[in-house]
């Protein structure tokens, strides 16, 4: 765990960056492939540690996978799924693996899935997942840290979520694919990842309508009727936003390729409000230019299509340098300001009052030793370090590796001075740094 990302800040960014496939989409497609008694080929798969964890998990359930990092594909043969137990060793590492609960229940009529892990950004309950499965007719219990679900004959029903939970919407969709009759999910999450999951399943033969709106309807189809398909994952809008934040913080002009701008509407509007120039180049690429000091703004995170909570931390690094006082209100997760003490170490002036962060923009940040406390807080550290005067070292970068493919390579190509160092020893100990640079 002695790896660090080392950044010499202050170099403006110029050039083109290609955005990878979306982690939070592909992991759910991999869970959905468990419903298909056939072979599926998923394209545009990012090279991320979370994808490797999901590969290990579905292999353990009986799938046969061929993951080609070179071709960015995963072939999943789920004909012989035979194990309904998703072990703690996998599920504790990431929240998305909890989606195998609905998939295994659908496919095998039973599931035993460890309660999930993922970033420690809040309580992250699973009560809505469980209530949804119970309404479909499953018996669900929690024992020894596992959710046990049983139900061979699930029945379609109307399910109204008390909040539009992404994971609960997905688990209910997956559980109801073979349920008898019609399932309606009201107050469903509307994220692009939900639409991607529905498109994937529909292409395989499921009957889902309304994904992307607040009401999703699933007409149950025959178990065993889904067919193998080829499918390409949507691009990662959070990764795209993170690169745009970097140019907003440090300055320069970049073109982001392989972006779906409509997935980023709220974010792009906010970036324009603070004074960044954004111009479409093609339907799937955007030019982002920052040539003057940005203005402070207020924003509140909300379920999609509102301002995405995952973009909040990197945007905070931008606002730390803006002219004036900004207020960010985090309305989804209780513990999503873990970047605040780290940004303060770099000279940011941020006060936290419960769910609000009050950010008084400073003229400059200074390089420091900081840590990536979670995935998106890690992105915030990278953005701040790129803009800071001097050298920053970021520790706990395994969080960053969960969600950012080839981060150092992509930023180096834009002109940043960034490298990954293995066997890092603290410079302040006055020891020689013996390091192996991994670019
Ligand atoms: C997903 C994303 C995460 C993103 C979040 C919101 C994945 C792997 N992660 O997380 O990056 O930040 O959506 O866009 O896709 N809740 C309950 N009970 C439940 C479920 C959720 O109270 O049973 C609450 C949560 O505590 C949270 C809110 O609902 O306050 C939203 O959570 P949810 O949409 O479920 O997020 P995840 O699916 O965990």
């Amino acid at each position: 765990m002695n790896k660090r990302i080392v950044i010499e800040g202050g170099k403006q960014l110029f050039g083109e960056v290609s955005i990878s496939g979306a982690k939070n989409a592909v992991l759910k497609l991999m869970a959905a492939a468990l419903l298909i008694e056939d072979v599926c080929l998923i394209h545009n798969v990012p090279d991320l540690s979370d994808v490797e964890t999901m590969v290990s998990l579905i292999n353990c359930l009986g799938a046969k996978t061929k993951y080609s990092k070179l071709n960015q594909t995963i072939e999943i043969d789920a004909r012989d799924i035979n194990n309904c137990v998703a072990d703690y060793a996998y599920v504790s590492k990431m929240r998305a693996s909890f989606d195998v609960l609905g998939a295994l229940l659908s496919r095998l009529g039973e599931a035993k899935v460890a309660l999930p892990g993922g970033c420690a950004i809040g309580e992250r309950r699973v009560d809505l997942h469980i209530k949804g499965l119970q309404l479909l007719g499953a018996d669900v219990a929690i024992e020894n840290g596992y959710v046990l679900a049983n139900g061979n004959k699930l029945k379609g029903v109307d399910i109204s979520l008390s909040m539009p939970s992404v994971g609960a919407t997905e688990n209910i969709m997956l559980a109801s694919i073979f349920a008898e009759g019609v399932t309606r999910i009201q107050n469903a999450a509307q994220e692009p990842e939900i639409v991607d999951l529905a498109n994937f399943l529909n292409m395989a033969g499921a009957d889902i309508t309304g994904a992307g709106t607040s009401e999703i309807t699933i007409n149950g189809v025959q178990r065993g009727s889904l067919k193998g398909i080829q499918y390409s994952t949507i691009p990662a809008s959070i990764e795209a936003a993170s690169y745009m934040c970097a140019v907003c913080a440090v300055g320069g002009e970049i073109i982001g390729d392989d972006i779906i701008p409509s997935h980023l509407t709220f974010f792009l509007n906010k970036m324009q409000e603070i004074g960044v120039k954004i111009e479409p180049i093609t339907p799937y690429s955007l030019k982002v230019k920052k040539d003057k000091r940005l203005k402070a703004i207020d924003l509140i995170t909300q379920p999609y299509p509102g301002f995405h909570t995952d973009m909040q931390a990197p945007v905070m690094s931008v606002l730390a340098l803006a002219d004036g006082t900004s207020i960010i209100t985090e309305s989804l997760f209780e513990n999503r300001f873990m970047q605040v003490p780290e940004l303060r170490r770099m000279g940011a002036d941020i006060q936290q009052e419960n769910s609000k962060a009050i950010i008084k923009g400073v003229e400059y940040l200074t390089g420091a030793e900081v840590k990536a406390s979670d995935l998106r807080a890690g992105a915030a550290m990278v953005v701040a370090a790129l803009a800071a005067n001097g050298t920053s070292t970021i520790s706990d970068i395994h969080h960053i590796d969960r969600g950012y493919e080839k981060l150092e390579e992509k930023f180096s190509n834009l002109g940043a001075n960034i490298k990954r160092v293995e066997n890092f020893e603290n410079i302040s100990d006055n020891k020689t740094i013996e390091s192996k640079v991994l670019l």
Side-chain angles (χ1 to χ4, degrees):
M1 288 297 197
N2 223 5
K3 289 180 189 162
R4 301 278 195 280
I5 290 175
V6 180
I7 297 174
E8 180 77 39
K11 287 195 78 182
Q12 294 207 335
L13 304 175
F14 292 94
E16 273 187 69
V17 59
S18 175
I19 299 306
S20 303
K23 165 181 92 74
N24 286 348
V26 75
L27 297 173
K28 320 302 173 63
L29 303 186
M30 293 169 73
L34 299 175
L35 297 183
I36 302 170
E37 293 178 45
D38 205 344
V39 182
C40 289
L41 185 63
I42 305 176
H43 296 271
N44 201 26
V45 177
D47 177 5
L48 299 171
S49 60
D50 271 13
V51 173
E52 284 171 15
T53 304
M54 196 67 167
V55 167
S56 304
L57 170 59
I58 66 171
N59 284 345
C60 181
L61 301 173
K64 294 183 188 73
T65 52
K66 287 184 198 152
Y67 176 21
S68 167
K69 293 185 181 184
L70 189 68
N71 298 327
Q72 301 182 312
T73 57
I74 297 184
E75 186 184 282
I76 302 173
D77 176 351
R79 280 176 291 196
D80 297 323
I81 298 302
N82 50 17
N83 174 16
C84 72
V85 183
D87 199 83
Y88 178 74
Y90 303 117
V91 187
S92 60
K93 285 191 183 163
M94 58 179 200
R95 179 81 178 182
S97 50
F98 197 62
D99 275 37
V100 301
L101 176 65
L104 287 171
L105 181 64
S106 258
R107 173 75 191 267
L108 301 176
E110 56 177 341
K112 179 177 175 185
V113 179
L115 284 162
C119 284
I121 54 178
E123 201 184 351
R124 305 196 85 173
R125 299 168 64 197
V126 292
D127 55 314
L128 301 176
H129 303 238
I130 290 172
K131 272 185 208 146
L133 302 189
Q134 285 171 330
L135 285 168
L136 286 164
D139 289 327
V140 188
I142 297 182
E143 277 174 26
N144 307 112
Y146 280 78
V147 178
L148 311 178
N150 275 284
N152 242 320
K153 291 203 170 123
L154 301 182
K155 279 213 164 84
V157 66
D158 285 358
I159 299 170
S160 181
L161 296 176
S162 57
M163 68 157 61
S165 156
V166 174
T169 302
E170 290 163 346
N171 252 327
I172 296 167
M173 271 168 73
L174 291 165
S176 59
I177 295 296
F178 305 136
E180 189 190 320
V182 180
T183 301
R184 257 183 233 99
I185 310 173
Q186 289 157 356
N187 198 24
Q190 301 175 41
E191 262 78 356
E193 288 80 1
I194 302 278
V195 179
D196 209 37
L197 180 61
N199 288 343
F200 175 85
L201 286 162
N202 281 343
M203 193 186 264
D207 184 352
I208 305 167
T209 51
T213 73
S214 61
E215 183 167 310
I216 299 176
T217 304
I218 302 114
N219 280 298
V221 297
Q222 203 66 35
R223 197 180 265 175
S225 65
L226 301 188
K227 298 276 176 272
I229 54 165
Q230 289 202 39
Y231 190 87
S232 189
T233 316
I234 53 167
S237 52
I238 313 294
E239 187 198 14
S242 304
Y243 280 89
M244 291 184 207
C245 284
V247 82
C248 293
V250 67
E253 179 177 312
I254 65 166
I255 293 176
D257 295 319
D258 304 321
I259 290 175
I260 300 180
S262 62
H263 292 173
L264 284 155
T265 305
F266 207 116
F267 170 81
L268 295 175
N269 289 348
K270 281 288 173 190
M271 290 302 100
Q272 281 164 325
E273 200 181 316
I274 66 175
V276 183
K277 291 187 187 120
I278 298 169
E279 190 191 322
I281 301 296
T282 72
Y284 297 106
S285 63
L286 290 173
K287 188 198 278 182
V288 184
K289 181 175 178 180
K290 185 242 175 160
D291 53 9
K292 58 176 191 293
R293 192 163 183 212
L294 301 176
K295 289 177 281 193
I297 47 158
D298 293 346
L299 59 87
I300 303 174
T301 63
Q302 279 167 336
Y304 188 87
F307 192 89
H308 203 296
T309 171
D310 288 2
M311 297 172 187
Q312 176 263 107
V315 168
M316 188 181 284
S317 297
V318 176
L319 296 178
L321 288 159
D323 187 13
T325 300
S326 304
I327 299 178
I328 295 181
T329 307
E330 169 58 55
S331 72
L332 270 92
F333 294 106
E334 309 83 25
N335 195 19
R336 210 140 203 202
F337 285 142
M338 284 194 283
Q339 71 277 14
V340 169
E342 304 305 309
L343 286 173
R344 282 201 202 117
R345 292 172 60 74
M346 302 176 85
D349 182 350
I350 306 173
Q351 296 304 317
Q352 193 187 328
E353 289 174 11
N354 303 316
S355 62
K356 286 191 193 312
I358 298 143
I359 306 140
K360 289 186 184 155
V362 293
E363 295 277 342
Y364 60 89
L365 297 173
T366 47
E369 286 172 42
V370 291
K371 69 175 178 205
S373 347
D374 65 56
L375 169 55
R376 305 303 169 187
M381 290 305 109
V382 172
V383 169
L386 288 166
N389 295 340
T391 305
S392 299
T393 59
I394 306 173
S395 60
D396 290 1
I397 60 174
H398 57 281
H399 289 299
I400 297 176
D401 292 339
R402 291 187 48 215
Y404 290 89
E405 182 182 46
K406 298 186 172 75
L407 180 107
E408 307 88 74
E409 191 182 310
K410 288 186 183 185
F411 273 119
S412 293
N413 289 341
L414 294 173
N417 194 341
I418 177 171
K419 64 192 175 196
R420 177 172 297 234
V421 178
E422 221 179 20
N423 303 324
F424 183 89
E425 288 184 55
N426 195 329
I427 224 166
S428 57
D429 289 348
N430 228 2
K431 290 176 187 163
T432 315
I433 299 173
E434 287 190 17
S435 58
K436 185 174 152 205
V437 176
L438 304 168
L439 265 183

